[in-house]
């Protein structure tokens, strides 16, 4: 009987670990792009991925009194990890 219960617990445990993790839809908490159309930034390209910010400005960050534009929250987060590095290369 103990072996039977152990086998069931082991099966349940293995089954739950084998399931795929749920798919998470990325939902951004930033302002819609329409709100950022007239925002003036010092760069024309995202300093992290070099995507043109004029067409894809999704987020901004202030660093040393200047506003930098980014194509995504991911690039903004990367910028914040080492802003000095990316600010030097901003175009």
């Amino acid at each position: 009987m103990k072996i039977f219960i152990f086998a069931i617990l082991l099966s349940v445990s293995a089954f739950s670990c084998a399931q795929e993790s749920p798919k998470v839809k990325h939902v951004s908490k930033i302002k819609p792009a329409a709100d950022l159309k007239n925002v003036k930034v010092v760069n024309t390209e995202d300093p992290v991925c070099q995507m043109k910010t004029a067409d894809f400005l999704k987020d901004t960050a202030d660093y040393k009194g200047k506003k930098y534009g980014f194509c995504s929250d991911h690039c903004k987060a990367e910028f914040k990890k080492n802003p000095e590095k990316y600010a030097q290369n901003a175009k």
Side-chain angles (χ1 to χ4, degrees), residues 26-72:
H26 178 70
V27 178
S28 180
K29 295 179 182 179
I30 59 174
K31 298 176 188 176
D35 291 345
L36 295 174
K37 283 187 178 182
N38 295 322
V39 173
K40 301 293 182 203
V41 295
V42 297
N43 55 311
T44 58
E45 292 182 357
D46 186 309
V48 177
C49 71
Q50 286 74 47
M51 182 181 281
K52 299 284 184 200
T53 56
D55 297 329
F56 300 100
L57 184 63
K58 302 285 185 218
D59 210 343
T60 63
D62 294 319
Y63 177 67
K64 291 191 174 182
K66 296 179 182 176
K67 187 175 292 292
Y68 293 87
F70 304 93
C71 69
S72 67

Side-chain angles (χ1 to χ4, degrees), residues 12-20:
V12 170
S13 176
F15 178 74
S16 65
C17 291
Q19 290 181 340
E20 286 186 38

